[in-house]
Amino acid sequence: MNWQERDAACIWHPFTPASAAPEIAVVKAEGIWLHTEDGRKILDGTSSWWVNAHGHAHPYIAERIAQQAKTLEHIIFAGFTHPPAIELAENLLRFIDGKHSRIFYSDNGSTSVEVALKMALQFFKNQNIPKKRIIAFENAYHGDTFGAMSVGHRNAFSAAFADLLFEVEFIPAPEAGKEEASYAQLHELLKMGDVAAFIFEPLVQGAGGMRMYCANSLEKMLLLCESYGTLTIADEVFTGFYRTGTPLAVHQLATLPDIICLSKTLTGGTLPLGVTAVPEFIYEAFQSSNPHHTFFHGHSFTANPLSCTAALASLELLQQDDCIKNIRFIEQQHQVFAQSIKAHKAISAVRCLGTILAIELKTKTESGYLNPIAPQLSMYFLGRNIYLRPLGNVLYFTPPYIIKEEELRAVYTTISECLEVLVNEN
Ligand SMILES: Cc1ncc(COP(=O)(O)O)c(C=O)c1O
């Protein structure tokens, strides 16, 4: 049996319906290329679920992890600490650059959100302030654990658990044309006086269909929350580390949120790690002689030294001139390409921000994640050795930052050819 057949006999894959095509076995990856067991070389156009920054199997990150593995591979993080966790916290606080002073480690994007929500709720509980209400955006995606699902849009992802999710107030994101409605609804809810936190994906709702909105509106909403004593939580799990062109998406605002969640590109895409960053005033609400004020949350692999080392190495690479130059180049090329296709008959909208290019396709069926065009598009691109994973009828391209000009062009050309096929079919 080959790897694909052995996999089919024993593994249950995420987000994978029974009707899905068999998994492709990748036996090696290098740079932006995935090498499959049947000898193909596929361009990773999604940065492997938005995590990869510097290309696969990056030699510098690999070397740093190897050295760390021979020095200290893991240690319980309650009662103990270690240099990679401390150095990473110091570096991240500089990277965030502002009001944050404490880093709390967890394992992935969902846990970084769980931590943020629990911290926000307990922040008020510890001070005997009756604030429990949470506000989130419609179409949001914050992860698959129960708290993260609760603050996410109620859709196919969470339908089986709908009765068990906690109550959340959903308001429209301030997309073009909805800015005033979004602000007004936020204001009405804040006036109730019991809103603990407002959680949002800054500037881009990723899994919700790469829906984008402007920094100005978000900034006004953050200031409004501040005036009502409501904590703001930026879920930068997708948008962090230059995905939107700036170090964090919230760096496009003049004001920073209270809590920031980071994961995905944090380790350059090599090892799992989540981070929740908070300012000192939140940390202080947990520093009390009452043991019930403790933040009782942790995971076996919290602040794993190998993951922290990978993040340190990735941050170093990310801040080099070459990397920033390449991010700017991708940004500019995406814009030029978006302009060139925006009037195409197969397209209803094209959106660009930083290294994200999203193309919403016209289809006969309803827009959304379950739109049947997604698997057909995936097959089209895979047949041309490009891996893209459309969100329903939203085709997007989020390459690793090391992609070269000719590789970008090859993807744009294939997208253009695909658009022609779609028009001719309809
Ligand atoms: C904005 C956002 N938050 C949270 C998550 C969940 O992250 P993870 O899959 O690492 O749990 C995701 C994943 O796509 C995300 O896009």
Side-chain angles (χ1 to χ4, degrees):
M1 282 206 291
N2 63 20
W3 289 116
Q4 188 177 55
E5 290 158 349
R6 285 168 67 179
D7 171 282
C10 63
I11 296 184
W12 184 346
H13 284 265
F15 296 110
T16 306
S19 58
E23 272 66 29
I24 298 166
V26 173
V27 290
K28 181 182 144 170
E30 207 174 8
I32 62 161
W33 296 101
L34 310 173
H35 297 261
T36 64
E37 73 171 325
D38 58 358
R40 289 167 68 194
K41 206 175 126 186
I42 300 174
L43 187 152
D44 183 356
T46 70
S47 295
S48 279
W49 251 341
W50 318 335
V51 301
N52 194 290
H54 315 291
H56 290 273
H58 192 283
Y60 179 64
I61 302 180
E63 179 54 33
R64 291 280 302 269
I65 294 172
Q67 286 303 327
Q68 186 60 44
K70 291 184 226 163
T71 311
L72 172 67
E73 86 304 347
H74 189 60
I75 174 77
I76 173 175
F77 205 60
F80 289 92
T81 190
H82 55 80
I86 300 164
E87 268 187 52
L88 179 60
E90 290 168 353
N91 287 5
L92 281 174
L93 291 170
R94 272 193 294 275
F95 185 81
I96 294 170
D97 189 24
K99 69 188 201 186
H100 300 78
S101 63
R102 300 278 164 178
I103 293 293
F104 190 95
Y105 288 108
S106 64
D107 297 350
N108 54 60
S110 304
T111 56
S112 73
V113 168
E114 294 289 336
V115 166
L117 294 170
K118 286 172 72 176
M119 276 179 177
L121 292 167
Q122 196 180 338
F123 169 79
F124 291 109
K125 175 96 178 148
N126 282 359
Q127 300 173 84
N128 291 320
I129 300 171
K131 287 191 172 189
K132 283 189 189 162
R133 199 180 294 274
I134 302 216
I135 304 177
F137 280 146
E138 290 162 7
N139 293 308
Y141 178 73
H142 295 289
D144 294 332
T145 48
F146 266 79
M149 269 197 296
S150 296
V151 292
H153 188 67
R154 307 298 160 89
N155 56 14
F157 284 39
S158 59
F161 321 102
D163 300 347
L164 300 167
L165 303 179
F166 60 76
E167 218 175 284
V168 168
E169 305 287 349
F170 289 99
I171 60 172
E175 292 172 295
K178 292 189 193 158
E179 297 93 334
E180 278 179 26
S182 179
Y183 186 86
Q185 288 187 38
L186 176 68
H187 203 175
E188 280 312 304
L189 289 166
L190 290 173
K191 281 182 197 162
M192 297 170 88
D194 60 354
V195 183
F198 164 46
I199 182 165
F200 55 90
E201 295 157 89
L203 309 189
V204 191
Q205 296 188 288
M210 298 293 164
R211 303 162 79 115
M212 300 178 185
Y213 60 89
C214 77
N216 266 356
S217 305
L218 181 61
E219 188 172 318
K220 279 205 264 174
M221 295 170 94
L222 295 195
L223 292 172
L224 189 63
C225 285
E226 195 181 316
S227 71
Y228 279 88
T230 289
L231 296 176
T232 50
I233 305 173
D235 175 355
E236 291 254 13
V237 168
F238 167 49
T239 50
F241 304 102
Y242 288 96
R243 198 40 87 187
T244 67
T246 39
L248 299 181
V250 291
H251 289 145
Q252 296 180 39
L253 280 58
T255 182
L256 283 178
D258 297 309
I259 305 181
I260 297 180
C261 305
L262 300 166
S263 187
K264 290 199 183 274
T265 310
L266 169 60
T267 62
T270 49
L271 285 170
L273 185 65
V275 149
T276 308
V278 298
E280 202 63 11
F281 77 87
I282 292 184
Y283 179 71
E284 275 168 6
F286 293 78
Q287 306 309 301
S288 130
S289 53
N290 180 348
H292 291 105
H293 288 175
T294 306
F295 188 56
F296 287 114
H297 187 109
H299 302 277
S300 312
F301 284 95
T302 289
N304 172 258
L306 302 180
S307 299
C308 290
T309 300
L312 281 166
S314 176
L315 265 183
E316 248 180 67
L317 295 172
L318 207 54
Q319 287 168 317
Q320 286 177 1
D321 288 349
D322 269 3
C323 184
I324 308 288
K325 237 166 57 195
N326 224 24
I327 289 166
R328 297 282 164 263
F329 184 70
I330 297 168
E331 226 174 327
Q332 182 203 12
Q333 295 302 304
H334 275 0
Q335 295 282 355
V336 171
F337 180 63
Q339 276 300 321
S340 76
I341 57 166
K342 73 173 190 210
H344 197 284
K345 288 195 192 80
I347 292 176
S348 53
V350 187
R351 298 184 280 271
C352 265
L353 188 65
T355 61
I356 308 163
L357 167 71
I359 304 165
E360 196 164 325
L361 299 165
K362 285 183 193 157
T363 59
K364 287 178 187 138
T365 34
E366 203 189 339
S367 269
Y369 185 81
L370 294 180
N371 190 298
I373 198 172
Q376 293 163 23
L377 289 169
S378 272
M379 291 305 288
Y380 179 92
F381 286 95
L382 268 181
R384 286 145 188 86
N385 290 327
I386 294 170
Y387 178 60
L388 298 180
R389 187 183 166 87
L391 294 155
N393 57 318
V394 177
L395 181 66
Y396 70 86
F397 179 30
T398 49
Y401 304 151
I402 49 132
I403 193 167
K404 297 196 187 79
E405 184 173 358
E406 62 272 22
E407 294 158 344
L408 272 176
R409 299 243 163 285
V411 177
Y412 296 148
T413 303
T414 311
I415 293 176
S416 297
E417 288 164 0
C418 176
L419 294 177
E420 289 310 307
V421 172
L422 290 173
V423 163
N424 291 332
E425 274 177 1
N426 286 314

